[in-house]
Amino acid sequence: MEKNQIVELQIEDMSDEGLGIGHTKDGMAVFVKDSVIGDRLRARIVKTKKAYAFGRVEQIITASPDREKPVCPVARSCGGCQVQEMSYPAQLRLKESKVRNNLQRIGGITSADFYPIIGMEDPYNYRNKSEYPVGRDRNGRLIAGFYAGRTHTVIDGRNCVIGIEENQKVLDAVLGWMEKYRIPEYSEETGKGLVRNIMIRCGFATGQIMTVIVVNADQLPHEKELVQMLRRTLPKEPLKPENLQAASLDTPAADLEGNVPRHMASIILNTNKARTNVILGRKNRTLWGSDFIEDSIGDVRYQISPLSFYQVNPVQTRRLYETALSLAGLTGQETVWDLYCGIGTISLFLAQKAKMVYGVEVVPDAIANAKENAKLNGIGNAEFMCGKAEEVLPREYQEHQVHADVIVVDPPRKGLDPAVIGTVASMAPDRVVYVSCNSATLARDLALFEEKGYHTEKVQPVDMFPHSVHVETVVLMSRVQK
Ligand code: SAH
């Protein structure tokens, strides 16, 4: 097979990256971007490897019944939503079977109860955080959006359909301010210029919006004007109940259901002078409003700073945490460890039903947030430790013989360090709840737990990221009585 050759394919499967997979007559696998399982198509080969090739859709002969026109006009070039051309029910089926296949194939998990995936009723505008690099289009107009796959070229994507609708207004205000005062955008290529990124975060339950302007400097010219323009774009802060009478058109109050209109609550200047593609620098200065925003999930309230990790889909996060809580089977008597606890989101959720919760997390800022969050909620039965789970847990177990009835883990994509699995097994909790964003490493780890006397009982996938290929899974393991 060679470059530019046209092959006819039936798309039968999808890779972890969201590429459709078909086979040529000679059995060679071809990965095709923007194709959907069930498509019959002609693909142009763009790259060949020994055992497989990559292709682009040249012509769709028969469209898959699951194919849909993406809502977003730039879905293809963006790459953020790998499967937006697939109907939402088909996306959910795909994710469910991906989890099941990985667990069976990699982990040898066959006897667990696999529950149907929990999807969203409305799979749009769900992200509470969006990050937009700033650049110029071909006509030299300032734009904000995303990098076109593996380049430094910014493509306009201000009205991203998975972000909140307010993003566009905020972006327009910042770009308007840049135009007006001739503030230069940063160039990744030259390392020169000022404004790198605009990050917008929203507490869905509180309506509070934080705008973070990431710049290649410590100061900004015309900071005051930026603040003014940003504050003018959205409704003002909602009124306190006692001032409801005074509500006017531009100061909306909570409606009868208590929904608070979205409003600017915090404007932050973040300094990032490093020549990397890491978005945020370490240094923040509050230009206006609060240093953090607040949100709540269920009955727990959280403070979120610019650098804090926080789940991006609050609607599904609540379902994820409720699943974790119910699988943990707490009665109020248990000692629980929550490893990779971030800002203590799961820990505080569990603390409402446990005797004591210990959270472990490697990022110091997140631990500081977790402690504040415990205080904010008046939760006295949660303690947080900063450090690597694979160091803190073995140390606490060996030196202080700490005990756990239930252990919850929520590691990053690479999964658990074997030292964590070893120590968890030695501590012999009755139940282990594994929250995973990568079903391949989850499957690998479950197999190790099975060797150490834990049986995988329940598997609940949750769709935290509609239109992407990612899927979150909560698993319950129980200790096999010996
Ligand atoms: N449970 C939290 C966060 C999960 S994300 C929530 O639901 O919000 C995974 C977290 O693991 C991140 O906060 C990351 O900083 C942390 N982390 C990464 N490597 C770690 C390690 N080796 N030990 C402890 N925490 C780690």
Side-chain angles (χ1 to χ4, degrees):
M1 192 167 329
E2 52 193 42
K3 215 176 148 177
N4 283 325
Q5 188 178 331
I6 305 282
V7 291
E8 197 174 313
L9 302 165
Q10 176 73 31
I11 303 300
E12 304 136 358
D13 200 357
M14 189 158 269
S15 74
D16 284 350
E17 294 77 33
L19 303 174
I21 308 172
H23 289 88
T24 60
K25 274 192 234 96
D26 332 321
M28 177 129 159
V30 183
F31 294 84
V32 185
K33 190 178 166 320
D34 307 315
S35 68
V36 172
I37 297 176
D39 280 342
R40 172 119 210 124
L41 50 76
R42 283 195 193 87
R44 179 180 293 274
I45 300 299
V46 290
K47 197 171 170 186
T48 56
K49 298 266 178 186
K50 256 205 194 97
Y52 57 92
F54 292 95
R56 294 245 170 200
V57 178
E58 182 78 6
Q59 186 200 2
I60 293 177
I61 303 168
T62 327
S64 160
D66 296 326
R67 181 173 270 286
E68 265 180 15
K69 189 173 183 305
V71 174
C72 175
V74 288
R76 283 196 176 181
S77 43
C78 169
C81 294
Q82 304 92 350
V83 293
Q84 219 191 86
E85 297 192 39
M86 198 186 265
S87 74
Y88 189 55
Q91 291 179 23
L92 291 176
R93 283 199 304 276
L94 173 72
K95 293 183 187 193
E96 205 179 282
S97 70
K98 183 164 143 178
V99 170
R100 188 191 286 261
N101 289 345
N102 276 343
L103 262 51
Q104 290 178 347
R105 201 169 37 83
I106 304 172
I109 308 295
T110 47
S111 65
D113 290 335
F114 286 87
Y115 294 104
I117 188 167
I118 302 175
M120 293 191 83
E121 290 78 26
D122 176 14
Y124 294 97
N125 304 117
Y126 64 80
R127 277 189 75 98
N128 60 12
K129 178 174 98 169
S130 301
E131 290 144 328
Y132 299 87
V134 177
R136 287 190 186 271
D137 67 9
R138 282 202 199 94
N139 306 320
R141 244 180 7 112
L142 267 177
I143 50 170
F146 52 90
Y147 289 112
R150 298 195 199 90
T151 70
H152 298 294
T153 314
V154 177
I155 291 185
D156 198 351
R158 266 173 272 185
N159 54 356
C160 167
V161 296
I162 59 169
I164 57 172
E165 284 165 354
E166 288 78 4
N167 286 344
Q168 176 144 19
K169 287 187 184 156
V170 173
L171 294 172
D172 287 346
V174 177
L175 297 187
W177 165 81
M178 289 176 70
E179 299 272 21
K180 186 162 176 192
Y181 297 102
R182 299 183 179 281
I183 311 290
E185 77 284 6
Y186 174 80
S187 153
E188 268 208 337
E189 242 149 345
T190 63
K192 299 228 160 60
L194 271 182
V195 179
R196 296 173 72 126
N197 267 278
I198 303 163
M199 176 171 107
I200 305 162
R201 255 179 163 177
C202 175
F204 278 29
T206 60
Q208 297 174 357
I209 289 180
M210 170 186 275
T211 302
V212 182
I213 315 286
V214 187
V215 298
N216 182 32
D218 298 294
Q219 300 284 332
L220 263 187
H222 301 286
E223 279 179 12
K224 264 208 202 99
E225 290 81 358
L226 170 66
V227 167
Q228 266 173 9
M229 288 175 81
L230 272 173
R231 288 185 60 194
R232 239 184 274 138
T233 53
L234 294 176
K236 296 215 176 89
E237 308 81 272
L239 293 174
K240 299 213 170 70
E242 57 269 30
N243 298 330
L244 271 182
Q245 294 279 346
S248 70
L249 274 181
D250 64 347
T251 51
D255 66 16
L256 290 175
E257 269 103 48
N259 297 316
V260 181
R262 293 189 175 153
H263 58 281
M264 196 60 72
S266 165
I267 303 175
I268 308 272
L269 186 75
N270 176 276
T271 297
N272 183 3
K273 297 186 201 169
R275 288 200 68 173
T276 62
N277 54 9
V278 175
I279 296 174
L280 293 174
R282 298 290 307 165
K283 199 174 130 193
N284 294 305
R285 180 156 59 85
T286 305
L287 298 182
W288 178 82
S290 175
D291 299 341
F292 53 82
I293 53 170
E294 292 191 315
D295 194 16
S296 56
I297 297 176
D299 295 329
V300 185
R301 212 167 163 85
Y302 300 98
Q303 288 186 354
I304 308 151
S305 309
L307 298 175
S308 308
F309 173 92
Y310 188 60
Q311 297 282 2
V312 297
N313 183 336
V315 172
Q316 294 300 85
T317 296
R318 180 176 181 164
R319 293 169 172 163
L320 182 78
Y321 292 174
E322 275 167 357
T323 304
L325 180 62
S326 105
L327 293 184
L330 302 179
T331 63
Q333 299 306 308
E334 294 81 4
T335 298
V336 181
W337 282 70
D338 176 21
L339 308 178
Y340 311 86
C341 69
I343 60 169
T345 18
I346 296 179
S347 321
L348 299 180
F349 220 73
L350 297 170
Q352 305 174 93
K353 298 272 172 65
K355 186 168 94 193
M356 187 67 204
V357 179
Y358 297 95
V360 181
E361 159 65 45
V362 74
V363 175
D365 283 6
I367 285 291
N369 279 156
K371 289 180 176 166
E372 282 157 23
N373 288 332
K375 250 194 243 148
L376 184 74
N377 289 283
I379 293 176
N381 60 336
E383 236 177 67
F384 295 95
M385 293 170 227
C386 190
K388 291 184 178 164
E390 62 272 27
E391 289 169 13
V392 173
L393 195 68
R395 187 187 68 217
E396 292 296 311
Y397 179 59
Q398 278 148 26
E399 291 176 11
H400 307 293
Q401 290 80 45
V402 290
H403 161 81
D405 299 296
V406 176
I407 296 184
V408 178
V409 296
D410 184 6
R413 292 191 66 74
K414 67 171 192 237
L416 294 175
D417 188 296
V420 171
I421 299 178
T423 309
V424 168
S426 310
M427 288 170 74
D430 296 330
R431 289 176 295 284
V432 177
V433 177
Y434 194 140
V435 182
S436 160
C437 54
N438 180 342
S439 57
T441 55
L442 168 67
R444 175 201 69 196
D445 292 346
L446 291 181
L448 292 175
F449 271 112
E450 294 268 340
E451 280 170 21
K452 294 187 186 293
Y454 280 84
H455 181 59
T456 300
E457 297 208 344
K458 297 181 178 175
V459 179
Q460 174 66 71
V462 181
D463 188 24
M464 299 283 278
F465 312 104
H467 311 295
S468 84
V469 285
H470 300 293
V471 53
E472 200 89 3
T473 311
V474 192
V475 169
L476 171 68
M477 287 177 266
S478 293
R479 194 156 64 93
V480 180
Q481 299 299 338
K482 287 212 184 106

